[in-house]
């Protein structure tokens, strides 16, 4: 059986190709995987959660808006990136969709990939949102 880490590395290789549909979803993939495997509390306004929210709510247009805003804030002309200040959320105990659900027979075929990643992002957000503040 392939480990989640192995699947993640396989998906990252596709992401780094920058090819459709994998490349544009790289940030979402990293955020979802990290939020499911880093068992530390996170602020409610954590950038990884913000990125997943933007993708779930507005698709790639939402990702583009978040990325553009972060780039402007992080430029020499910007005020810098604000540190999260929201209440800390404990890490969830489980997730309804994991990276193994994004794969199809051990691979990540282009057909339906964005929809599977969206389901993964939504399940990750839902689990974090269900945590007490």
């Amino acid at each position: 059986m392939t480990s989640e880490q192995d699947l993640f590395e396989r998906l990252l290789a596709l992401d780094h190709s920058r090819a459709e549909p994998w490349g544009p979803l790289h940030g979402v993939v990293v955020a979802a995987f990290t939020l499911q495997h880093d068992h530390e509390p996170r602020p409610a306004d954590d950038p990884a959660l913000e990125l997943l929210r933007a993708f779930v709510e507005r698709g790639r247009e939402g990702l583009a808006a978040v990325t553009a805003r972060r780039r402007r804030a992080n430029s020499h002309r910007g005020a810098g990136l604000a540190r999260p200040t929201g209440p800390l959320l404990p890490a969830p105990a489980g997730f309804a969709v994991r990276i193994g659900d994004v794969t199809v027979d051990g691979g990540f075929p282009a057909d339906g990939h964005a929809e599977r990643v969206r389901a993964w992002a939504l399940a990750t957000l839902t689990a974090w949102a269900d945590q007490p503040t």
Side-chain angles (χ1 to χ4, degrees), residues 11 18 22 27 33 37 49 54 57-58 81-82 84 94 111 121 125 130 133:
L11 183 51
R18 296 188 178 168
W22 309 279
F33 190 82
H37 290 85
L49 292 167
E57 293 172 3
R58 296 181 44 220
L81 296 172
D111 189 37
L125 276 175
D130 288 344
T133 55

Side-chain angles (χ1 to χ4, degrees), residues 2 5 8 12 17 19 21 23 26-27 32 41 45 47 50 53 55 62 64-65 75 94 101 108 114 133:
T2 306
Q5 184 64 43
F8 182 58
L12 283 181
S17 74
H26 173 74
D45 57 346
E50 175 192 20
R53 259 185 236 106
F55 178 63
S75 81
D101 300 304
F108 297 92
T133 55

Side-chain angles (χ1 to χ4, degrees), residues 1-132:
M1 184 167 175
T2 306
S3 75
E4 288 196 338
Q5 184 64 43
D6 290 338
L7 290 173
F8 182 58
E9 289 171 13
R10 205 176 292 168
L11 183 51
L12 283 181
L14 290 167
D15 288 356
H16 289 300
S17 74
R18 296 188 178 168
E20 290 285 345
W22 309 279
L25 301 179
H26 173 74
V28 176
V29 165
V30 170
F33 190 82
T34 301
L35 287 165
Q36 288 190 358
H37 290 85
D38 179 6
H39 303 292
E40 296 297 318
R42 297 266 181 157
D45 57 346
D46 186 273
L49 292 167
E50 175 192 20
L51 190 69
L52 294 187
R53 259 185 236 106
F55 178 63
V56 166
E57 293 172 3
R58 296 181 44 220
R60 287 173 56 174
E61 182 180 304
L63 288 179
V66 167
T67 301
R69 186 170 32 79
R70 287 184 185 172
R71 281 187 183 140
R72 281 191 307 275
N74 200 35
S75 81
H76 67 281
R77 292 181 214 134
L81 296 172
R83 294 208 181 269
T85 58
L88 285 181
L89 302 174
F95 300 91
V97 177
R98 300 186 66 89
I99 193 168
D101 300 304
V102 179
T103 183
V104 176
D105 296 329
F108 297 92
D111 189 37
H113 180 70
E115 292 81 10
R116 291 187 303 274
V117 170
R118 185 183 184 285
W120 185 23
L122 179 59
T124 304
L125 276 175
T126 300
W128 279 91
D130 288 344
Q131 299 305 305

